[in-house]
Amino acid sequence: MTSTTTTATTNWIARTFIEKLSVYAVGGITVAALLGSMMPDYASGRTVALGDERLQGSDYILYNSPKGGGQIKGTTLHSCW
């Protein structure tokens, strides 16, 4: 599949989902309200303060791409948990 096909398929799935969800949007409840109640709230996720003493530093690691795209540089975080 090309990225254009993948995007078109994803858009079709989302559009179909929203159309089916609209059946349940009755009595003043909108599709947006239903979607909002179903989506995760990433903003309220647990975070660690910047100066937290449990964080002991980080390193970079290099590893080979599993699909042959070369080397990937990643960051690993050390903690005392």
Side-chain angles (χ1 to χ4, degrees):
M1 259 194 206
T2 64
S3 64
T4 305
T5 305
T6 304
T7 303
T9 303
T10 302
N11 290 341
W12 178 81
I13 291 170
R15 187 171 43 251
T16 303
F17 176 76
I18 290 173
E19 286 172 0
K20 291 183 184 242
L21 186 63
S22 66
V23 171
Y24 299 101
V26 293
I29 298 175
T30 64
V31 171
L34 288 171
L35 277 174
S37 68
M38 294 170 36
M39 297 299 291
D41 183 13
Y42 295 111
S44 66
R46 188 175 210 178
T47 59
V48 179
L50 184 60
D52 194 318
E53 60 195 35
R54 295 174 291 180
L55 301 178
Q56 299 174 351
S58 64
D59 290 316
Y60 290 108
I61 58 172
L62 292 174
Y63 60 96
N64 291 323
S65 168
K67 294 187 178 181
Q71 283 197 330
I72 300 172
K73 183 178 182 180
T75 305
T76 179
L77 181 66
H78 305 288
S79 68
C80 62
W81 282 294

